[in-house]
Amino acid sequence: MASSVAQLAGLAVGGAAVAALGTRQALAVGAALHLTAAVAVRLGLPRIDPGSGPSGSVAKAGLRGTAALMSTRCPRRLLLAQWLPGAATAGVEALIVAYAGQRHFAPGTYALLMACVPAGMLTGALVVGRLVRPPVRERLVAPLAAVMGLPLLAFAAGPGAGLSAVLLLCAGTGFAYSLGLQRAFLDAVPAAAQGQAFRLLHSGTMTLQGVGPACFGVLATVAGTGAAMAAAGAATLATACWIATWHTATPS
């Protein structure tokens, strides 16, 4: 929820900066904000002592922990289930401006379409996180993951601006599927390795959110942006079908 709100706020502030200052100056403002955030992290967060030990032991321990998690079936599949749809969604978001340009949408439409996915994520997180009980959330993992992918298939037909906004909003709401995996992931990891597990989950998410746009961007150069966005939906739908083959959302 915090991430979705931050994306929406960033889109709003970024759009205002572009309108007021121009693109080059807005990019400079963005760079300055990154530097400000780096200073805030450096000065505002407490330093954590990694403990005594030989040089490189922390990195080696991290690699050993990652290898152990990825070699165990239940944590590995739970990690992949959270990584893959996010990578596909990031690929779709990266193609929105190109798709809107190819369809000759009005310039203001770009920002609206970019905001639809995080707005859908926020809506889905609020509804599923607040109104749906945990056991039901866990049973809805595969259907909600399918909701992420199914609307994106329609981009193969080249929908207009209004329908595109609805499709992206609906796809964003399906991201709430990840709420149903959180307890299962926590239960699947030994208590001593939970910190390592969540670091791996976060770093893998960030990595694949960079890989996804690269992969679907290459596909877009060959097949077109609409087809690439539909392919991202098909990949997400395939992940949902894989999740549906699990006997239960929690480890046995």
Side-chain angles (χ1 to χ4, degrees), residues 95-200:
L95 293 172
I96 287 174
V97 173
Y99 177 80
Q102 288 185 355
R103 297 283 295 164
H104 304 292
F105 294 163
T109 307
Y110 298 6
L112 173 64
L113 294 179
M114 289 290 292
C116 284
V117 174
M121 290 179 181
L122 178 60
T123 302
L126 284 170
V127 172
V128 176
R130 299 295 182 182
L131 302 181
V132 180
R133 298 179 61 189
V136 179
R137 287 203 298 260
E138 292 167 9
R139 291 195 294 271
L140 289 177
V141 169
L144 286 172
V147 169
M148 283 186 70
L150 279 171
L152 300 176
L153 299 179
F155 279 95
L163 182 55
S164 295
V166 172
L167 293 171
L168 292 170
L169 186 67
C170 291
T173 61
F175 204 84
Y177 87 98
S178 60
L179 297 176
L181 295 175
Q182 290 178 347
R183 189 176 72 169
F185 185 60
L186 189 64
D187 291 343
V189 177
Q194 286 176 358
Q196 170 72 20
F198 280 94
R199 285 194 298 271
L200 177 60

Side-chain angles (χ1 to χ4, degrees), residues 13-252:
V13 174
V18 170
L21 304 174
T23 53
R24 291 173 62 88
Q25 291 78 5
L27 286 171
V29 170
L33 289 174
H34 275 288
L35 291 174
T36 302
V39 172
V41 168
R42 179 65 182 85
L43 300 179
L45 296 181
R47 298 193 60 161
I48 299 175
D49 183 5
S52 60
S55 176
S57 60
V58 174
K60 290 179 180 178
L63 291 174
R64 286 196 299 269
T66 298
L69 288 167
M70 293 304 295
S71 64
T72 306
R73 179 173 177 265
C74 190
R76 181 177 65 247
R77 72 179 187 180
L78 287 167
L79 284 166
L80 290 172
Q82 294 174 89
W83 285 342
L84 297 177
T89 301
V92 169
E93 289 183 288
L95 293 172
I96 287 174
V97 173
Y99 177 80
Q102 288 185 355
R103 297 283 295 164
H104 304 292
F105 294 163
T109 307
Y110 298 6
L112 173 64
L113 294 179
M114 289 290 292
C116 284
V117 174
M121 290 179 181
L122 178 60
T123 302
L126 284 170
V127 172
V128 176
R130 299 295 182 182
L131 302 181
V132 180
R133 298 179 61 189
V136 179
R137 287 203 298 260
E138 292 167 9
R139 291 195 294 271
L140 289 177
V141 169
L144 286 172
V147 169
M148 283 186 70
L150 279 171
L152 300 176
L153 299 179
F155 279 95
L163 182 55
S164 295
V166 172
L167 293 171
L168 292 170
L169 186 67
C170 291
T173 61
F175 204 84
Y177 87 98
S178 60
L179 297 176
L181 295 175
Q182 290 178 347
R183 189 176 72 169
F185 185 60
L186 189 64
D187 291 343
V189 177
Q194 286 176 358
Q196 170 72 20
F198 280 94
R199 285 194 298 271
L200 177 60
L201 174 62
H202 179 72
S203 61
T205 298
M206 294 297 101
T207 300
L208 288 179
Q209 284 183 357
V211 172
C215 293
F216 290 106
V218 170
L219 180 60
T221 62
V222 177
T225 54
M229 294 167 78
T236 302
L237 189 59
T239 304
C241 293
W242 171 57
I243 294 172
T245 65
W246 302 356
H247 294 298
T248 177
T250 56
S252 56

